[in-house]
Amino acid sequence: MRFTPFGAVPCLLMVQAAAQTPLTFQDIQAKAWPAPEQWRAEALLAERSLQLQESRGFLREGPTVALSAGPRRTVGLPTATDRAFEVDVPLFLSPRLRTGLEAALGAAHPFLKEAARREGSLRLRAAYLEAWVTTRTLALRETDLEIVDRWLKTVRARFEAGADPAFQVSLVQGERLQAQQDLDEARIRQARAWGALAALADLPRSPLPLADPGPAQRLPEGDLAQNLGQEPLRKALQAQAELEVRSLRLKEAQALSRWSLRGSHAQEGEEQVTRFGVAVRLPRPGENSALHRSMEAQLQAVRGETRQALAELDARAQAALTRKISILSDEQPPDFTQAVAAVGLRLLEGRERPSEALPIRRQLLEAQLASLRRLQTQHLLTAELQTLFEVPR
């Protein structure tokens, strides 16, 4: 028999208690992975920063350096070595466009980072609420099946005693089959919801208890509609569009920049030759016009996508503001547990028959589920408003 030290018992109890402590949303936030939106924002900013680095100063791109050497053989003379050094420096003569991109990048950086953080937090909150509501739904379905099992035993006893006809037993048996089916579906939904949450945070594969979110946060009384047009997501969309326009203009200027400085130094036998000059890359027929058309089409695409994204954001904000009036309230969700127990008691006492009690039980169960879904909707709406507008969290 293994001996457990007395001092280790409290530690084991503390570990077991901690393992059963429900996870709050703040606990999940601390374990969350960086959101994909944040990585995409980082990648975009890094790409535009690289574009700036490639056009730094008066260079279109990095200079090209060439080194060459070879033997010089002359009849009657010893073999010598010729050496040559060449450099080609592509010029970029539109520094104003680079300065514009640099300013747009600096302005877009905080907006893009904040928008990505808000969207990632909203996705995590929605996944947590879905996992919570499916867990609570599963518990209700399990309790409901236990209730139907007790009712079935009672109805069978009443049938054997001759108090109820056989079809009353059949009604409860059919209801039990439906309750079992609902329970199986609830388990599937809970597993999927937990999997979606575990994909966003460092959580185990098996579901853990989740703390109730509590009542939905009461938002400030101020009219959020006054902040329309100043939403953080709108500023991010506008800053990203400006960044893309500046980037395309700089790419066009880089492609049209054809001048470069060239220099070489060579040692040929006893002679040394140094040369300096300029070079120009001649465009192929129709190249400039094709490049201009391509850039204009890309600019129009960026502007069109931005208009569409802003319109969708406006619709999203208007929908959230409209729902705020009807959904967010100070009313506490009702508890139907006592009503279900009362119906069960009347059935056990013989004052209700299954044909009368089952529809009432079903309606009360649906009311419980609707109460959970409404609380979930209230929290989702609050999170949506906090994402769209500058409101406290």
Side-chain angles (χ1 to χ4, degrees):
M1 181 176 67
R2 296 183 61 184
F3 173 72
T4 302
F6 178 76
V9 174
C11 296
L12 292 175
L13 293 177
M14 291 176 62
V15 170
Q16 293 175 355
Q20 297 300 321
T21 302
L23 288 175
T24 64
F25 178 66
Q26 289 72 24
D27 296 332
I28 297 173
Q29 271 187 317
K31 299 174 179 290
W33 307 111
E37 294 90 349
Q38 293 175 297
W39 289 119
R40 282 194 289 268
E42 289 287 351
L44 177 62
L45 293 172
E47 183 180 354
R48 297 297 169 259
S49 179
L50 176 60
Q51 187 179 1
L52 284 176
Q53 295 299 325
E54 291 174 342
S55 59
R56 181 172 295 279
F58 290 95
L59 299 182
R60 186 180 75 242
E61 57 190 31
T64 301
V65 177
L67 297 173
S68 60
R72 172 184 289 270
R73 296 183 178 90
T74 304
V75 178
L77 296 176
T79 301
T81 301
D82 287 353
R83 303 176 182 86
F85 169 81
E86 297 181 0
V87 61
D88 184 275
V89 182
L91 297 177
F92 180 63
L93 304 178
S94 301
R96 180 178 55 84
L97 295 177
R98 184 189 182 281
T99 303
L101 176 60
E102 188 173 15
L105 179 61
H109 189 276
F111 292 126
L112 294 183
K113 300 270 285 188
E114 175 65 12
R117 185 195 64 79
R118 286 171 175 261
E119 292 287 14
S121 179
L122 177 60
R123 178 179 286 106
L124 183 66
R125 184 78 176 182
Y128 154 73
L129 290 172
E130 183 63 22
W132 168 78
V133 78
T134 54
T135 300
R136 288 292 304 274
T137 300
L138 177 60
L140 284 177
R141 293 297 186 186
E142 290 174 344
T143 303
D144 182 60
L145 184 61
E146 294 174 358
I147 292 174
V148 176
D149 283 337
R150 290 198 300 268
W151 287 16
L152 183 58
K153 292 179 182 179
T154 301
V155 173
R156 281 175 174 169
R158 290 170 59 84
F159 167 70
E160 293 173 357
D164 282 335
F167 77 87
Q168 296 286 357
V169 179
S170 299
L171 285 176
V172 183
Q173 287 176 332
E175 195 69 16
R176 190 195 182 284
L177 291 175
Q178 183 62 49
Q180 183 65 61
Q181 178 66 24
D182 292 339
L183 176 59
D184 294 340
E185 294 177 357
R187 284 172 177 159
I188 294 174
R189 286 193 293 269
Q190 195 251 4
R192 290 176 176 173
W194 181 262
L197 179 61
L200 302 178
D202 186 13
L203 298 173
R205 294 184 178 181
S206 300
L208 296 177
L210 293 176
D212 289 346
Q217 179 181 350
R218 183 181 179 86
L219 296 179
E221 295 296 335
D223 189 5
L224 295 178
Q226 296 178 355
N227 296 327
L228 283 174
Q230 300 297 323
E231 307 97 311
L233 300 189
R234 172 181 291 275
K235 294 178 181 178
L237 285 173
Q238 293 171 338
Q240 182 175 350
E242 179 65 16
L243 183 63
E244 292 301 307
V245 169
R246 297 285 185 177
S247 173
L248 289 173
R249 290 300 188 193
L250 182 59
K251 287 181 181 178
E252 181 181 21
Q254 288 175 317
L256 293 174
S257 183
R258 306 179 184 279
W259 291 92
S260 62
L261 293 177
R262 285 192 176 182
S264 65
H265 177 77
Q267 182 178 353
E268 301 175 355
E270 298 297 330
E271 298 179 353
Q272 293 187 2
V273 181
T274 301
R275 296 186 178 92
F276 293 100
V278 296
V280 59
R281 180 174 62 85
L282 300 177
R284 289 167 291 186
E287 181 180 353
N288 288 351
S289 59
L291 177 64
H292 181 70
R293 289 196 304 270
S294 173
M295 287 299 172
E296 287 300 321
Q298 293 181 59
L299 287 171
Q300 292 300 326
V302 169
R303 295 187 180 108
E305 291 171 356
T306 302
R307 283 195 301 269
Q308 182 177 355
L310 289 174
E312 292 174 354
L313 180 62
D314 287 339
R316 179 179 170 186
Q318 290 289 354
L321 290 174
T322 302
R323 295 170 62 212
K324 174 180 179 294
I325 301 175
S326 60
I327 293 180
L328 294 182
S329 64
D330 295 331
E331 297 180 2
Q332 296 296 326
D335 186 5
F336 299 93
T337 305
Q338 295 182 354
V340 175
V343 174
L345 182 61
R346 291 179 63 86
L347 180 69
L348 295 176
E349 294 176 349
R351 290 185 290 173
E352 294 281 358
R353 288 192 169 186
S355 57
E356 300 168 338
L358 287 176
I360 299 175
R361 169 203 140 270
R362 194 178 303 115
Q363 292 175 1
L364 291 174
L365 177 60
E366 292 299 325
Q368 283 181 305
L369 296 175
S371 177
L372 285 177
R373 286 293 180 185
R374 182 167 181 80
L375 183 59
Q376 178 194 21
T377 302
Q378 288 176 339
H379 279 280
L380 277 176
L381 179 58
T382 300
E384 177 82 353
L385 291 171
Q386 290 173 334
T387 301
L388 294 172
F389 300 98
E390 293 288 356
V391 294
R393 293 178 176 269

